[in-house]
């Protein structure tokens, strides 16, 4: 395979946070309606990395190890009697997702973003990592 020349790479930039947000919204919109409807007021947030406090609390030293995070009270734990909690959020972390996408090299960036998004929405539904892994294995 020939090496790309400078003209081939000219103007090529990593997707910005805004690009990621557009891809994440497109991935969410592509989900089945009954899945989206159960998400309610779930907010989607994009950042380059998780903040240091989140990494510390989770015991993660390398910020590239966390591609996404669900923050909130999952649907199995919510009650109408609860005080108005902070809004549920799904965080997608651009740099770790880009890193994993480059390492894998077997899917589009949009598919990778959708994979992380669906995983974090699974946590919103009350699923554990093991539950999500089992669902993914059964669908392969």
């Amino acid at each position: 395979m020939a090496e790309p020349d400078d003209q081939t790479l000219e103007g090529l930039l990593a997707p910005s946070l805004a690009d990621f947000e557009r891809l994440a919204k497109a991935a969410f919109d592509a989900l089945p309606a009954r899945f989206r409807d159960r998400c309610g007021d779930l907010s989607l947030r994009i950042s380059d990395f998780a903040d240091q406090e989140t990494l510390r609390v989770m015991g993660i030293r390398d910020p590239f190890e966390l591609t996404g995070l669900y923050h909130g009270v999952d649907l199995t734990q919510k009650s109408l009697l609860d005080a108005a909690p902070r809004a549920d959020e799904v965080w997608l972390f651009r740099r770790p997702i880009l890193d994993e996408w480059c390492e894998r090299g077997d899917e589009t960036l949009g598919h990778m973003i959708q994979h992380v998004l669906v995983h974090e929405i699974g946590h919103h539904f009350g699923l554990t990592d093991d539950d999500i892994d089992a669902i993914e294995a059964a669908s392969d």
Side-chain angles (χ1 to χ4, degrees), residues 27-112:
F28 183 82
D29 290 344
L31 297 173
R34 65 179 207 200
F35 189 81
R36 288 191 322 264
D37 292 346
R38 291 219 22 158
C39 290
D41 292 331
L42 184 69
S43 296
L44 181 57
R45 308 277 187 219
I46 311 294
S47 182
D48 274 327
F49 292 102
D51 62 74
Q52 289 300 314
E53 178 64 11
T54 298
L55 295 171
R56 185 190 65 73
V57 167
M58 295 183 75
I60 298 174
R61 290 180 175 247
D62 181 355
F64 280 96
E65 290 181 18
L66 188 61
T67 57
L69 179 69
Y70 169 68
H71 186 272
V73 178
D74 71 64
L75 295 179
T76 66
Q77 303 296 315
K78 286 191 188 263
S79 167
L80 293 175
L81 302 176
D82 290 339
R86 181 177 163 188
D88 295 322
E89 300 172 326
V90 165
W91 285 87
L92 301 179
F93 303 116
R94 184 180 77 97
R95 296 281 309 279
I97 290 173
L98 282 174
D99 217 47
E100 186 172 333
W101 173 61
C102 289
E103 286 175 11
R104 287 178 140 188
D106 63 348
E107 58 189 28
T108 66
L109 179 57
H111 185 266
M112 181 74 195

Side-chain angles (χ1 to χ4, degrees), residues 132-140:
I132 296 166
D133 291 344
I135 291 167
E136 288 176 340
S139 71
D140 286 344

Side-chain angles (χ1 to χ4, degrees), residues 6-18:
D6 288 340
Q7 289 180 340
T8 305
L9 299 176
E10 187 174 324
L12 188 62
L13 300 173
S16 68
L17 291 170

